[in-house]
Amino acid sequence: MAGRDHRTASIAYYDCVVMSADSLSVSTSDRRPETSSSRSVWLYGRVVDLLLGYGLGYLIAVPLLLGWGSVAAPNERYLWFGSAVALLTATPHYGATLLRVYEERSERRKYAIFAIWITAALVALFGAGLYDRWIGSLLLTVYVSWSPWHFSGQNYGLAVMYLRRSGHPPSQAAKRSLYASFVLCAGLAFVAIHTSGSSLLFAQDAFDHSATFRVLKLGIPVAVGAPLAGVLGILYAGCLVRFVARLRPRPSAASMLPLACLVGVQALWFAVPALATAFGAGNVRLLLPFAAVTISAAHSVQYLWVTSHYAGLARSDVRVARFFVRCILAGAAVGAPALLFVPGLFGDAVPNAAGAAVVSFSVVNIHHFILDGAIWKLRDGRVARALLRSQPEAEVAGAPLQRRRHWLRALALSLGAIALLAHLTMIALARQARPDAEPQALQRTASRLAWFGKDTPELWSVVAEGLERAGAFDDAIAAWRASLGPGKPPLVSANRLAWLLIEHRADDPESLAEATALARYLAAEVGSEQAKGLQTLAAVHLAAGRYELAVETAERALEVARARGNPTRIRQVESQVRAYRAEARRAGSVRADAPR
């Protein structure tokens, strides 16, 4: 599909509002003068619309989220909290799109290019991504980079929808200024994501804890990224000012509250954290109100609010509660295959479930972005009448669509129920993954979480430390191995595992070979800067009987320690050198043929 089509698709159903009324494929009878009656301005009523649709609920929650984020442990904040929020918001949010596209044969035929062929291409890319780290990383990068634009497009569309429904349709000049402000805000997020050294991501669950896949950043230098963000920020503010100045006739402040909320939400989601990161004004990216899971939840609630309204108009027999349940099951059904992502299933390509899960999540969201762009357009007369017209609902409601029973629908919803149960189980397990839990219990919890792709190197490190303190060294070794992940192992985990292997499995040649590989990796990474890596390598050489290498390596560690000037480390390494020389003398002549 052409790049321009993808750009149009990313705005979802909101890109349509930039078109003039004359271009809409609706009948002349639908082009009635818009009224400002209270019953037609709001979708569900003033309070519900303000809180859920226009973002006032999120704005009110910001102080609460700030407070909780400052007192709750990171594990409590993000593991179970993120999973629960995703279940209640992101899952039905995606399910609503699936129901719209796939439930009716007429809709499937209408959007066949997106529902079938592009979907098949994404499935193929998903399979390729599991076995090729570059393809998987590219999918992750597309998802991360596209997310701010997708969210911004929704906010823009809701803003114009409200202006039209409230009887204040903006002029083309005002609309272009408003549109430009949302584009620039998304551009700020893009720059923040791709600036070198930034860890700011706006996409939920976009970080792969298995370290298999990574975001392929453009690597914008900080010296370029900060000034660029500043320019975009000034242009963003200028477009908002220009939009307000061009609104005619001038609406009252009260009538503009929904629009103000949307602009405020957009700024807090993207402009504030992006600019703060660019100029080093605090660690904003770690605050819960600006976390990807929170932004995604607020976006999903908006989407469910407007799509449930559309479903109620198009199908009078659909109630909101029933619609929500069906959306959850439909969204969960897509996640059912993720239950197959058990550790080791895909061999060396994806060593654990977390790597497969992040590729799956990326493809699902890209699929959602594309489908949204196809189905929510004002060229569809029913969508135009439902979302932009200000007539009373009885005048625009279409005839209810009769859904025929089909075994595929029943199968999909059944899979959704199974996946939903699995998701609830995962949330319950995540609640048990507390660092202060009994070591063996925490180990069992981490093993079960691995089946859902929620085991992380950090969690396994906590498990391993607890097992070490409990004296369960064999289990601790297994846990430290799980904490290594693919790719470059964390230095702390590699160091601790190497020491455990030489202390408790020195008589096992395979364990010694593993310890040697880990110690050499440590020495290569930090040997010229820290003595610790060389100390570990020297200890491994000694355990393997390579006395000459043990002494030489310990002496190199002493040189590094003296160069660093740390008295405590110097004394420690001096003691190690003396001990290793004594070991070499006790062993007899130093082996000249010792492997190097």
Side-chain angles (χ1 to χ4, degrees):
M1 189 175 183
R4 184 174 180 181
D5 290 338
H6 274 162
R7 177 181 177 276
T8 301
S10 70
I11 308 178
Y13 59 90
Y14 310 105
D15 63 341
C16 54
V17 297
V18 302
M19 301 185 302
S20 64
D22 292 337
S23 66
L24 302 181
S25 300
V26 294
S27 65
T28 305
S29 61
D30 291 324
R31 296 174 183 162
R32 306 178 189 180
E34 296 181 344
T35 68
S36 58
S37 62
S38 59
R39 63 174 177 172
S40 61
V41 171
W42 309 104
L43 302 187
Y44 283 101
R46 184 187 301 271
V47 174
V48 172
D49 286 9
L50 280 172
L51 289 176
L52 302 184
Y54 296 117
L56 182 59
Y58 171 82
L59 298 176
I60 293 174
V62 166
L64 301 177
L65 292 169
L66 282 171
W68 186 37
S70 64
V71 299
N75 185 70
E76 180 183 356
R77 280 206 306 265
Y78 298 115
L79 192 55
W80 74 265
F81 174 78
S83 300
V85 169
L87 175 63
L88 293 175
T89 59
T91 298
H93 150 251
Y94 180 50
T97 298
L98 296 178
L99 290 176
R100 170 77 193 282
V101 175
Y102 291 100
E103 190 170 29
E104 299 295 338
R105 179 178 296 179
S106 60
E107 299 295 299
R108 292 195 298 272
R109 289 177 175 175
K110 183 176 181 179
Y111 304 111
I113 184 66
F114 305 96
I116 299 174
W117 303 114
I118 290 180
T119 299
L122 286 173
V123 171
L125 283 172
F126 168 67
L130 292 178
Y131 288 94
D132 188 290
R133 297 178 190 225
W134 188 87
I135 295 177
S137 296
L138 181 61
L139 290 168
L140 173 60
T141 303
V142 170
Y143 161 49
V144 167
S145 302
W146 196 344
S147 290
W149 176 235
H150 176 73
F151 293 178
S152 298
Q154 175 164 292
N155 284 334
Y156 167 72
L158 292 178
V160 178
M161 182 188 78
Y162 174 75
L163 288 170
R164 293 280 295 275
R165 292 181 68 92
S166 64
H168 298 94
S171 65
Q172 288 299 317
K175 190 186 299 183
R176 283 193 294 268
S177 296
L178 182 62
Y179 179 73
S181 74
F182 284 91
V183 172
L184 289 166
C185 200
L188 274 169
F190 183 88
V191 170
I193 290 170
H194 289 279
T195 297
S196 296
S198 171
S199 60
L200 185 62
L201 299 177
F202 296 99
Q204 182 179 334
D205 288 345
F207 184 77
D208 177 18
H209 290 284
S210 74
T212 307
F213 307 103
R214 62 187 180 88
V215 177
L216 303 174
K217 295 188 176 185
L218 296 179
I220 301 173
V222 176
V224 175
L228 180 58
V231 171
L232 292 177
I234 293 171
L235 292 175
Y236 162 66
C239 285
L240 287 177
V241 172
R242 187 171 184 267
F243 162 71
V244 174
R246 289 181 175 268
L247 273 181
R248 296 290 187 276
R250 186 76 63 191
S252 67
S255 66
M256 287 298 99
L257 179 58
L259 185 62
C261 289
L262 284 171
V263 171
V265 163
Q266 177 76 9
L268 285 177
W269 286 359
F270 303 120
V272 170
L275 289 171
T277 301
F279 294 100
N283 206 9
V284 176
R285 67 181 181 274
L286 297 181
L287 298 176
L288 201 54
F290 310 108
V293 62
T294 312
I295 294 173
S296 178
H299 163 82
S300 298
V301 168
Q302 286 179 325
Y303 186 85
L304 288 167
W305 163 73
V306 76
T307 52
S308 63
H309 170 75
Y310 172 81
L313 286 173
R315 300 173 181 176
S316 58
D317 62 324
V318 176
R319 296 182 179 179
V320 173
R322 182 185 175 194
F323 173 80
F324 183 74
V325 171
R326 291 174 64 247
C327 287
I328 287 184
L329 293 178
V334 176
L339 299 178
L340 299 176
F341 297 155
V342 297
L345 181 64
F346 296 100
D348 294 334
V350 183
N352 59 35
V358 77
V359 177
S360 174
F361 202 84
S362 299
V363 170
V364 162
N365 278 278
I366 293 171
H367 183 239
H368 168 67
F369 297 165
I370 293 173
L371 287 183
D372 264 5
I375 64 177
W376 294 110
K377 292 181 180 298
L378 284 184
R379 296 185 184 93
D380 184 330
R382 181 184 300 157
V383 175
R385 291 190 297 271
L387 298 184
L388 291 186
R389 290 318 199 194
S390 57
Q391 287 88 358
E393 294 185 5
E395 298 181 23
V396 298
L401 298 178
Q402 299 298 322
R403 295 189 305 275
R404 293 180 296 177
R405 296 184 181 277
H406 196 280
W407 67 271
L408 282 176
R409 182 185 296 115
L411 175 61
L413 295 180
S414 298
L415 286 174
I418 294 171
L420 185 62
L421 179 62
H423 203 138
L424 291 171
T425 302
M426 184 266 291
I427 293 174
L429 289 172
R431 285 287 287 161
Q432 299 175 18
R434 303 186 314 275
D436 59 346
E438 192 268 331
Q440 281 74 19
L442 187 57
Q443 180 186 26
R444 290 192 296 270
T445 298
S447 299
R448 292 165 183 165
L449 283 171
W451 284 74
F452 302 96
K454 294 298 181 181
D455 60 321
T456 66
E458 293 86 353
L459 177 59
W460 280 113
S461 296
V462 173
V463 172
E465 290 171 356
L467 292 169
E468 271 197 69
R469 289 193 296 269
F473 297 112
D474 287 340
D475 288 340
I477 288 172
W480 280 120
R481 282 174 176 156
S483 74
L484 296 179
K488 296 177 66 173
L491 297 179
V492 173
S493 297
N495 184 65
R496 193 61 212 136
L497 177 57
W499 277 99
L500 280 180
L501 289 172
I502 62 176
E503 289 172 354
H504 299 281
R505 295 187 180 177
D507 56 347
D508 177 21
E510 291 185 1
S511 296
L512 280 178
E514 181 182 2
T516 300
L518 290 169
R520 283 176 173 160
Y521 161 72
L522 282 168
E525 290 293 314
V526 299
S528 61
E529 300 178 0
Q530 299 179 29
K532 193 172 185 179
L534 291 170
Q535 284 183 273
T536 302
L537 182 58
V540 170
H541 284 322
L542 188 74
R546 300 187 286 263
Y547 298 104
E548 183 182 54
L549 282 177
V551 173
E552 290 179 1
T553 306
E555 288 173 345
R556 283 167 48 204
L558 182 58
E559 293 175 3
V560 173
R562 286 171 175 168
R564 300 287 291 179
N566 186 329
T568 302
R569 179 68 66 180
I570 291 172
R571 288 193 296 270
Q572 185 185 74
V573 181
E574 285 176 341
S575 176
Q576 187 179 19
V577 170
R578 288 193 297 271
Y580 287 5
R581 285 173 178 167
E583 285 287 338
R585 287 194 296 271
R586 280 196 294 269
S589 59
V590 175
R591 304 177 185 180
D593 60 345
R596 294 179 182 270

